[in-house]
Amino acid sequence: MPRGELRIYLGAAPGVGKTYAMLEEARRRAGRGTDVVIGLVETHGRRHTAAMLGDLEVVPRRTMTYRGVAFTEMDLDAVLRRRPDIAVVDELAHTNIPGCRNAKRWQDVQQLLDAGISVLTTVNIQHLESLNDVVTRITGAEQRETLPDAIVRAAEQVELVDMTPEALRRRMAHGNIYQPEKIDAALGNYFRTGNLTALRELALLWLADKVEDQLDKYRADHAIDSTWETRERIVVALTGGLEGDTLIRRASRIAARTKGADLLAVHVARSDGLAGADPAALAKQRVLVESLGGSYHQVVGADIPQAVLDFARGANATQIVLGASRRGRFAQILSAGVGVTTIARSGSIDVHLVSHEHAGRGRRRGPMPAALSRSRRVAGFLTALLGLPLLVALLKVGPQLSLTNDILLFLAAVVGVALIGGLWPALLAAVGASLALNWFFTPPLFRFTIAEVQNLLALAIFVTVAVAVSWVVDTAARKTRQAAQASADAQTLATVAGSVLRGERPLIALLDRLRETFGLDSVTLIDDGTVVAAVGHPVCVAPVDADVEVKADETLTVLLRGRILEASDRRIVEAFAAQAAVALKQERLATEAAAAKPLAEADRLRTALLAAVSHDLRTPLAAATAAVAGLRSRDIQLDDEDRDELLATTDESLGRLDRLVANLLDMSRLQAGALGVVAIDVGAEDVVPRALDEIGPDGHDVTVHVPDDLPPLHADPGLLERILVNIVTNALRHSPPGRPPVITGSSHGDTVELRVIDHGPGIPHDRWDDVFLPFQRLGDRDTGTGVGLGLALSRGLTEAMGGTLTPDETPGGGLTMILALPAGGMA
């Protein structure tokens, strides 16, 4: 059975019209004769969206009860039994009620697709797992419901439903998205113009990446390797040379000329695995690339121009930046070089050949390291000096052989010397052997002349083969030594990376690993003469005291004390130094972030306070103002019942306003440490009724079970009453009709507990601490009243009196708040 197709309508924020567009498509499909059913659509009370349902067939929802509250979910089994061509399923990221077949709605959709049913669905950008933390930082609102990006990326079609921030805010102001009482708070919080602009850009960029993936797949499926200039991508090729910084900055300027252009740096490592580029220089250049917003890549290849072009074509790059050749003029005559070869093979990719101050000056090469140790070279020379006379004596004393055999024996001797001592002893042996063959074995004997041409040719071949074999043996030994050194360097750097990743302080771990690796007494990092980190003893604090000094960047220097390092070791130390600069930068950024966190938290609270208070002060004020205006109006005739109702409204609104202001003042005093607490022994039977009276008519519905023999509480009566008002008000807000909260009391040793029990939907255990955060409401439980301050204030007031306020689960569903205070006479 073929799998169904998934079409997703992606939006930057609620209200942009995703569900409306989805239903438009559903109606078009149904009009063309396709079997379409509505699995689940959330209209959220929006009349235009509800009207789009029209005569489309709707599969009845499944009603479920969770913690005493009824919920409706999509009836997955019913949709599967119905087996339409297309099912419309809204809100892909939705979390199903416990008891459903799947935990997430996207899992329901996967089952529909597996059954061959195509699906139309919707999702907002903030629900994507990869962007969830970014959206939280932008909006200040954490989104609990997420889904993996892979689900959306795997969709056959993703359509962006776009709307400008200004148009979306107008829709909000006209009441087309939220209920009127929530509009002001929404416009001042999540739906600020800046937030919507950022979310819109996130949606556009994410969709652009999705389209890019589709384009890459299309090009791969159709074997298209030519560049399609859909987006500017600049590739800069790095060799690890001194010109690298110049090339990177030039490429960055080219990328900056086009909005959204990508900068990619690539280094081609030798395919033989031997060290070629300076690892320290490459590490610094990698940091520079990333600081300019680019990415660093490394590929392996023997043909450098081809490897660069293969990478560029694979990345669909439009331009390549190369440095002008550092080789001298004579070398450029003999070989075209990387730049010229790349240009010749580049095809439609533009190639920039950038001049720099090191161009044409030749490559800086250090002294070529000896392939073999000193002792082996000495042994090779001794073998040549002693072995050749011995071989001559043996051939003269022994049976006479032909010249060909003599040449073969001397060639074997030269090869033996090459294996023992390398190139120079072998060259000495080759020269000595050729002279010996000419003098002792080639007619006329004992003269450096050769009578026959073929003998001359044989000696010439002998010398050529001897030199070639010596060169090959020496080269193989040198490569072996270089490979061993490269392997050791790679293992050292890998160990460094592992220790840094595992360490809590990467910089200290890096310096300590450097000291341990090279057996140093101390390693010190200084910044413009100031010590910023050091390990070992005694610590080196000045360049004059150091045995080795290595620059990490313009201002940072690593000082080593203990021994002088070899040139090959110094390259690895330079790589350590470059990483130390990165680690120091990360530590400083972490410190700055930690210092900014309290300020950011204060700003978040201030923003939340202004947003919440702007709405929640206005609501009771508006109600009271309207009631007073009605009472004062001379154009309206009011009877006693209407007048009493307006007075009651005024009284209730002013009471809400009074409680809100009192909570704000108390929270301010509490955070400033200026809240006065006067604790005395007070009975629960006195405080609880006063708190319920302050709540108003709803408070009289609360059931109270406080034992007559309950010990008094040692508390501030006014603060205790405030705590109870906030807790009970919160419980009333979430209690189902006909099941009001219950207050019970009990004593446990030197503690008295008052429990406020409700039978509402409850709160997941992992979110119990969230209810005590200031200006927080738990997502979809926002009732439009209060600033989310009551429980935070209640816990603060309780702790100020030496007590605790903790949540617990109500048996059968709901939330119980346990207020524990010292018993009277025990404090």
Side-chain angles (χ1 to χ4, degrees):
M1 177 184 299
R3 179 179 168 86
E5 294 187 355
L6 178 61
R7 179 166 184 165
I8 297 176
Y9 291 84
L10 176 69
V16 295
K18 302 181 302 299
T19 304
Y20 191 92
M22 176 181 66
L23 291 174
E24 276 189 324
E25 178 64 17
R27 292 177 67 86
R28 280 195 296 270
R29 300 281 188 95
R32 295 196 296 265
T34 305
D35 184 14
V36 179
V37 303
I38 304 296
L40 185 141
V41 166
E42 298 287 359
T43 63
H44 298 290
R46 299 165 190 166
R47 62 183 185 277
H48 298 299
T49 303
M52 285 299 296
L53 288 170
D55 56 356
L56 291 174
E57 179 184 346
V58 179
V59 176
R61 298 190 186 192
R62 178 185 178 188
T63 301
M64 305 180 65
T65 301
Y66 178 66
R67 293 186 173 180
V69 180
F71 297 91
T72 60
E73 295 285 3
M74 181 178 72
D75 194 335
L76 176 60
D77 294 327
V79 178
L80 289 171
R81 287 194 300 269
R82 173 63 177 75
R83 296 192 61 80
D85 295 330
I86 296 176
V88 179
V89 183
D90 208 359
E91 298 184 357
L92 185 61
H94 172 76
T95 300
N96 292 330
I97 293 298
C100 293
R101 180 189 294 192
N102 298 308
K104 294 285 189 175
R105 186 167 291 165
W106 64 263
Q107 295 171 322
D108 294 340
V109 168
Q110 291 295 309
Q111 287 195 249
L112 294 175
L113 297 173
D114 291 339
I117 302 172
S118 296
V119 175
L120 305 179
T121 187
T122 64
V123 71
N124 279 331
I125 196 68
Q126 69 264 25
H127 294 294
L128 296 181
E129 185 65 46
S130 65
L131 299 177
N132 184 252
D133 57 337
V134 179
V135 174
T136 299
R137 288 195 297 270
I138 292 172
T139 64
E142 183 177 3
Q143 182 57 246
R144 297 287 181 175
E145 293 185 325
T146 61
L147 79 162
D149 289 43
I151 301 300
V152 183
R153 290 191 181 278
E156 282 73 19
Q157 297 181 66
V158 178
E159 180 176 329
L160 179 66
V161 182
D162 192 25
M163 181 176 289
T164 65
E166 294 76 15
L168 184 57
R169 285 173 61 85
R170 282 197 299 270
R171 288 198 65 197
M172 174 72 72
H174 293 160
N176 294 330
I177 301 176
Y178 286 165
Q179 298 300 317
E181 64 271 13
K182 296 184 179 182
I183 293 175
D184 289 340
L187 290 174
N189 284 282
Y190 196 91
F191 285 82
R192 294 196 301 269
T193 301
N195 287 358
L196 297 177
T197 302
L199 292 174
R200 188 186 187 202
E201 184 172 10
L202 281 177
L204 290 169
L205 291 175
W206 191 94
L207 189 61
D209 288 339
K210 161 72 174 175
V211 173
E212 186 71 27
D213 292 342
Q214 291 176 327
L215 178 60
D216 289 343
K217 183 178 184 301
Y218 179 85
R219 295 176 73 239
D221 292 344
H222 292 78
I224 299 172
D225 57 4
S226 61
T227 300
W228 288 8
E229 299 180 5
T230 55
R231 182 193 295 184
E232 288 288 348
R233 288 184 175 85
I234 318 300
V235 170
V236 53
L238 302 177
T239 64
L242 299 176
E243 75 282 359
D245 291 2
T246 301
L247 300 182
I248 293 169
R249 291 189 173 93
R250 178 62 181 274
S252 176
R253 290 195 296 272
I254 294 174
R257 295 170 187 165
T258 304
K259 185 70 173 177
D262 295 332
L263 174 63
L264 302 91
V266 61
H267 169 67
V268 180
R270 291 169 55 174
S271 57
D272 58 10
L274 301 181
D278 184 350
L282 284 175
K284 294 177 182 177
Q285 290 167 12
R286 177 173 188 165
V287 172
L288 178 60
V289 168
E290 293 174 347
S291 69
L292 294 173
S295 58
Y296 178 87
H297 308 267
Q298 183 163 309
V299 297
V300 177
D303 186 343
I304 293 178
Q306 192 60 46
V308 171
L309 288 170
D310 288 344
F311 173 82
R313 292 191 177 106
N316 200 24
T318 54
Q319 302 182 59
I320 298 176
V321 176
L322 299 173
S325 177
R326 288 179 288 161
R327 300 177 306 146
R329 293 182 179 179
F330 182 73
Q332 293 183 41
I333 293 173
L334 296 177
S335 173
V338 172
V340 175
T341 305
T342 303
I343 293 173
R345 301 178 185 175
S346 64
S348 61
I349 303 178
D350 295 336
V351 179
H352 301 266
L353 201 59
V354 179
S355 180
H356 52 86
E357 60 181 358
H358 306 288
R361 296 187 178 183
R363 296 184 181 273
R364 292 173 51 188
R365 297 184 182 273
M368 183 177 293
L372 300 175
S373 64
R374 180 183 179 85
S375 60
R376 287 189 60 179
R377 294 197 305 273
V378 171
F381 280 116
L382 290 176
T383 302
L385 294 173
L386 298 177
L388 291 180
L390 180 61
L391 179 60
V392 171
L394 291 174
L395 291 176
K396 282 297 184 180
V397 173
Q400 297 298 311
L401 302 176
S402 67
L403 180 60
T404 302
N405 290 330
D406 293 337
I407 290 176
L408 291 175
L409 288 173
F410 274 98
L411 181 61
V414 172
V415 171
V417 172
L419 291 174
I420 296 173
L423 177 62
W424 294 111
L427 291 178
L428 175 64
V431 172
S434 65
L435 293 175
L437 284 169
N438 190 353
W439 183 266
F440 291 105
F441 302 99
T442 305
L445 299 179
F446 309 115
R447 293 175 60 184
F448 288 113
T449 58
I450 301 174
E452 298 181 13
V453 176
Q454 63 180 2
N455 291 339
L456 178 63
L457 178 62
L459 281 176
I461 293 174
F462 165 78
V463 173
T464 302
V465 171
V467 171
V469 170
S470 302
W471 179 265
V472 169
V473 171
D474 186 81
T475 301
R478 180 175 288 106
K479 295 293 185 181
T480 300
R481 190 171 186 181
Q482 290 177 355
Q485 181 66 42
S487 177
D489 292 348
Q491 185 175 2
T492 299
L493 294 174
T495 304
V496 169
S499 64
V500 169
L501 290 174
R502 290 189 297 269
E504 293 184 2
R505 294 192 61 191
L507 179 58
I508 295 299
L510 188 69
L511 298 182
D512 191 56
R513 178 61 65 179
L514 174 59
R515 182 185 64 82
E516 179 182 304
T517 299
F518 294 102
L520 302 169
D521 293 334
S522 68
V523 179
T524 307
L525 181 65
I526 62 173
D527 186 1
D528 278 338
T530 303
V531 176
V532 294
V535 295
H537 184 79
V539 173
C540 183
V541 296
V544 294
D545 299 326
D547 294 315
V548 179
E549 178 182 349
V550 177
K551 294 289 291 184
D553 60 18
E554 291 78 3
T555 62
L556 294 174
T557 304
V558 178
L559 305 179
L560 312 177
R561 172 186 282 180
R563 67 183 181 91
I564 302 298
L565 300 178
E566 296 180 6
S568 58
D569 291 337
R570 188 180 180 92
R571 295 180 64 195
I572 301 301
V573 172
E574 290 174 348
F576 270 93
Q579 295 302 318
V582 176
L584 177 62
K585 181 179 179 181
Q586 290 175 340
E587 284 198 4
R588 287 175 171 172
L589 289 174
T591 302
E592 292 174 1
K597 187 175 181 180
L599 298 177
E601 181 65 18
D603 183 67
R604 186 191 68 80
L605 291 177
R606 183 164 51 251
T607 302
L609 171 64
L610 291 174
V613 170
S614 65
H615 173 267
D616 291 292
L617 282 177
R618 187 180 295 120
T619 301
L621 276 175
T625 301
V628 171
L631 290 169
R632 295 185 60 186
S633 176
R634 297 179 180 178
D635 299 329
I636 303 175
Q637 299 296 323
L638 300 174
D639 55 25
D640 292 341
E641 184 178 352
D642 293 335
R643 188 177 300 276
D644 290 341
E645 183 177 352
L646 289 175
L647 289 171
T649 300
T650 303
D651 182 62
E652 180 183 354
S653 299
L654 293 177
R656 285 179 56 193
L657 185 61
D658 179 67
R659 288 194 297 272
L660 174 61
V661 173
N663 282 343
L664 290 171
L665 291 175
D666 283 345
M667 178 59 78
S668 176
R669 296 190 190 101
L670 190 63
Q671 291 182 339
L675 182 67
V677 178
V678 181
I680 61 174
D681 291 349
V682 58
E685 68 277 5
D686 297 325
V687 177
V688 171
R690 290 203 301 269
L692 298 180
D693 288 340
E694 184 175 343
I695 292 172
D698 290 340
H700 300 154
D701 296 334
V702 177
T703 304
V704 180
H705 296 301
V706 177
D708 295 335
D709 58 349
L710 186 69
L713 301 93
H714 190 74
D716 185 309
L719 298 183
L720 178 56
E721 183 179 331
R722 178 67 51 76
I723 294 169
L724 288 172
V725 168
N726 288 333
I727 297 174
V728 174
T729 301
N730 187 73
L732 284 166
R733 186 179 300 131
H734 297 98
S735 293
R739 300 194 71 184
V742 177
I743 299 177
T744 65
S746 60
S747 62
H748 305 275
D750 57 356
T751 301
V752 176
E753 289 184 355
L754 295 178
R755 294 174 175 254
V756 179
I757 305 167
D758 72 60
H759 299 280
I763 299 172
H765 184 277
D766 59 352
R767 300 204 61 192
W768 280 357
D769 288 338
D770 293 352
V771 301
F772 296 107
L773 296 176
F775 316 116
Q776 298 290 319
R777 301 190 186 101
L778 291 189
D780 54 359
R781 295 192 189 149
D782 180 5
T783 61
T785 60
V787 295
L789 189 61
L791 293 179
L793 176 61
S794 297
R795 171 172 275 189
L797 296 178
T798 302
E799 293 174 350
M801 294 188 294
T804 60
L805 180 61
T806 56
D808 196 6
E809 187 174 1
T810 301
L815 185 70
T816 297
M817 282 292 179
I818 305 172
L819 173 62
L821 289 166
M826 304 297 293

